[in-house]
């Protein structure tokens, strides 16, 4: 039967997807890019799915039949992609935050929700079952390398039998008690060995903070244990959270120069997602600065951020609500105009402000938005977080100079088991 013959009642008004999309493109003067195979696909009730008054509602009706989704690239280009469970449209994020806001109208109602969801996040992440299996062996520590105003020491801890976390400790050269900042890493090229990571941690150490970063699961030295494909698993989600907790526990128990009242968390992109998760899992964190990650409509596109179904906790949650549980502690959100965090100033930040208002602690919350920047951990993002930690941890501003940081080759930051 021809496509034309099917476009009637007995043929369920079927047309080829190719023809329908061409017609939609002409009607609204837009073009489509495809991350899906449209070859030979037929769409029943095709013309009835098109809404004369709305391109995007038409795309909703067409895409849902094939489990596709659409994403606006600019005013004239739309991308058609497979359905992604952690990614939604901005207006869906707005609806989610409106719904969540309706669940609590005061501090007591919010804290009841908070405590319940935090317990469920732990359960869905399954982190406690892993914590029970920790081997508690002494770490392998490299020699301390001395630089201008700071030192670096590599650390390797066996966590589970035969499994290790690999990281580096950046420390000030000054004596006394220092704040500690745990720095989960994101998916930027080069991992924790890249230049901007070394500059950030070295500068924070020069100013007086001890900083610890560590490899993503299946990245860097971890790749030699698990293989490069291991990162694309839900196990990455829990192991990265576990590794942050193991390193925090070690530093608090074994480093006498750590001030236990000043414990920070700071990471970008996927590291920002894990910064949020760390604030949910560990009440010892006293200040946090998740960077270029926060959105109500995106949970993180990697299994290391959304492999475990933590977002289903409490009947449905999202990263802004999880981060709001940190109230009233000092919190800074860094966002930009070139990625999914573009909505932060008008959507996610006002939601979190309302929660901080329950504690009359709005002054403990800030958003640095860089509308002309894209997704990275560039100098302006780093500067924003230097300012934040100077303010909340009393770091030494006079030592703020990235030019004093020595950037080394990746091998120098590795343990080489």
């Amino acid at each position: 039967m021809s496509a034309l013959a099917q476009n009637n009642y007995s043929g369920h008004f079927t047309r080829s997807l190719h023809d329908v999309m061409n017609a939609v493109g002409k009607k609204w003067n837009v073009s489509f890019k495809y991350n899906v195979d449209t070859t030979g696909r037929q769409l029943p009730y095709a013309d009835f799915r098109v809404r004369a008054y709305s391109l995007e509602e038409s795309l909703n009706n067409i895409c849902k039949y094939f489990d596709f989704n659409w994403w606006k690239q600019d005013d004239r280009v739309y991308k058609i992609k497979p359905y992604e469970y952690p990614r939604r449209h901005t207006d869906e994020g707005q609806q989610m935050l409106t719904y969540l806001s309706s669940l609590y109208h005061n501090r007591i109602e919010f804290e009841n929700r908070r405590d319940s969801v935090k317990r469920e996040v732990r359960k869905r992440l399954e982190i406690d079952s892993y914590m029970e299996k920790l081997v508690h062996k002494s770490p392998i520590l490299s020699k301390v390398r001395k630089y201008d105003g700071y030192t670096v020491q590599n650390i390797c801890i066996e966590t589970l039998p035969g499994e290790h976390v690999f990281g580096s400790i950046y420390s000030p050269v000054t004596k006394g008690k220092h704040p500690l900042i745990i720095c989960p890493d994101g998916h930027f090229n080069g991992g924790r060995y890249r230049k901007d990571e070394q500059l950030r941690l070295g500068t924070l150490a020069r100013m007086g903070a001890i900083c610890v970063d560590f490899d993503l699961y299946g990245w860097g030295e971890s790749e030699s244990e698990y293989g490069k494909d291991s990162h694309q698993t839900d196990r990455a989600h829990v192991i990265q959270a576990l590794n942050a907790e193991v390193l925090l526990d070690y530093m608090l128990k074994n480093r006498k120069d750590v001030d236990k009242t000043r414990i920070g968390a700071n990471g970008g992109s996927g590291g920002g997602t894990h910064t949020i998760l760390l604030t949910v899992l560990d009440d010892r964190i006293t200040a946090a600065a998740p960077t270029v990650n926060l959105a109500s409509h995106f949970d993180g596109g990697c299994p290391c951020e959304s492999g475990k179904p933590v977002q289903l906790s409490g009947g449905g949650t999202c990263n802004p609500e999880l981060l709001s549980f940190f109230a009233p502690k000092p919190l800074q959100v860094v966002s930009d105009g070139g990625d999914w965090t573009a909505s932060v100033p008008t959507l996610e930040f006002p939601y979190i402000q309302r929660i901080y208002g329950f504690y009359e602690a709005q002054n403990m919350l800030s958003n640095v938005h860089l509308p002309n920047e894209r997704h990275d951990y560039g100098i302006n993002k780093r500067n924003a977080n230097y300012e934040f930690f100077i303010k909340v941890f009393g770091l030494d501003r006079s030592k703020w100079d990235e030019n004093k940081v020595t950037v080394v080759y990746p091998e120098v930051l590795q343990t080489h088991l």
Side-chain angles (χ1 to χ4, degrees), residues 286-355:
T286 64
T291 299
V292 295
N293 78 291
L294 185 68
S296 53
H297 43 92
F298 188 40
D299 306 329
C302 179
C304 84
E305 302 170 75
S306 54
K308 297 290 185 179
V310 299
Q311 306 292 342
L312 300 180
S313 301
T317 184
C318 59
N319 282 334
E321 184 182 44
L322 296 180
L323 187 57
S324 76
F325 297 161
F326 197 59
K329 299 175 183 178
L331 172 64
Q332 176 166 277
V333 176
V334 179
S335 54
D336 62 67
D339 62 18
W340 54 90
T341 66
S343 61
V344 166
T346 58
L347 183 54
E348 289 82 8
F349 189 68
Y351 163 82
I352 299 176
Q353 279 183 311
R354 175 175 178 260
I355 304 305

Side-chain angles (χ1 to χ4, degrees), residues 153-416:
Q153 184 177 37
N154 303 337
I155 184 170
C156 169
I157 301 178
E158 185 172 2
T159 53
L160 304 169
E163 302 183 37
H164 300 79
V165 56
F166 302 90
S168 296
I169 305 169
Y170 294 69
S171 301
V173 295
T174 53
K175 297 185 181 299
K177 295 283 189 178
H178 303 288
L180 169 67
I181 305 174
I182 300 295
C183 300
D185 198 22
H187 299 95
F188 301 114
N189 289 337
R192 70 180 180 89
Y193 313 108
R194 66 188 190 278
K195 181 178 179 179
D196 68 79
E197 178 92 349
Q198 294 187 50
L199 291 175
R200 176 167 56 94
L201 273 61
T203 300
L204 287 166
R206 280 176 45 80
M207 293 193 293
I210 302 170
C211 298
V212 182
D213 66 354
F214 53 99
D215 282 330
L216 295 171
Y217 182 81
W219 280 40
E221 289 186 277
S222 178
E223 181 181 335
S224 64
E225 284 196 350
Y226 300 113
K228 65 179 181 180
D229 295 330
S230 62
H231 190 72
Q232 296 298 313
T233 64
D234 61 0
R235 196 172 193 266
H237 198 178
V238 62
I239 293 296
Q240 286 177 199
L242 178 80
N243 288 344
E245 290 286 74
V246 167
L247 287 166
L248 178 55
D249 285 342
Y250 169 79
M251 296 296 292
L252 292 178
K253 292 176 182 176
N254 296 278
R255 288 285 296 252
K256 295 182 180 179
D257 55 345
V258 170
D259 179 353
K260 297 181 179 180
T261 68
R262 293 183 291 168
I263 307 298
N266 172 224
S269 191
T273 304
H274 270 272
T275 294
I276 294 173
L277 184 58
L278 191 55
T279 67
V280 175
L281 297 174
D282 202 315
D283 290 336
R284 294 174 295 184
I285 306 299
T286 64
T291 299
V292 295
N293 78 291
L294 185 68
S296 53
H297 43 92
F298 188 40
D299 306 329
C302 179
C304 84
E305 302 170 75
S306 54
K308 297 290 185 179
V310 299
Q311 306 292 342
L312 300 180
S313 301
T317 184
C318 59
N319 282 334
E321 184 182 44
L322 296 180
L323 187 57
S324 76
F325 297 161
F326 197 59
K329 299 175 183 178
L331 172 64
Q332 176 166 277
V333 176
V334 179
S335 54
D336 62 67
D339 62 18
W340 54 90
T341 66
S343 61
V344 166
T346 58
L347 183 54
E348 289 82 8
F349 189 68
Y351 163 82
I352 299 176
Q353 279 183 311
R354 175 175 178 260
I355 304 305
Y356 269 70
F358 292 158
Y359 298 85
E360 298 183 355
Q362 294 95 327
N363 63 320
M364 305 298 283
L365 176 66
S366 60
N367 169 220
V368 174
H369 187 66
L370 303 165
N372 298 319
E373 297 200 7
R374 301 186 67 81
H375 189 72
D376 60 19
Y377 213 137
I379 181 63
N380 292 326
K381 280 106 171 176
R382 300 196 300 275
N383 285 345
N385 285 328
Y386 296 151
E387 288 282 7
F388 174 72
F389 285 112
I390 287 171
K391 177 181 177 181
V392 300
F393 283 162
L395 303 185
D396 185 352
R397 181 183 294 274
S398 70
K399 299 297 184 181
W400 179 351
D401 186 351
E402 287 191 343
N403 292 321
K404 299 292 187 180
V405 176
T406 300
V407 177
V408 301
Y409 290 110
E411 303 81 56
V412 179
L413 295 168
Q414 296 180 338
T415 306
H416 304 292

Side-chain angles (χ1 to χ4, degrees), residues 114-155:
R114 177 199 67 189
D115 296 344
S116 174
V117 172
K118 287 177 70 170
R119 287 193 297 270
E120 190 171 347
V121 166
R122 289 194 77 93
K123 184 177 180 180
R124 287 182 178 274
L125 189 63
E126 302 179 70
I127 191 169
D128 291 322
S129 64
Y130 285 80
M131 296 288 284
E132 293 169 358
K133 300 172 184 176
L134 292 175
V135 297
H136 301 291
K137 288 187 178 180
S138 297
I140 299 171
L141 294 166
S142 74
K143 291 182 179 180
V144 175
R145 301 183 299 282
K146 297 181 180 180
Y147 300 104
D148 187 343
Y150 70 104
T151 67
V152 183
Q153 184 177 37
N154 303 337
I155 184 170

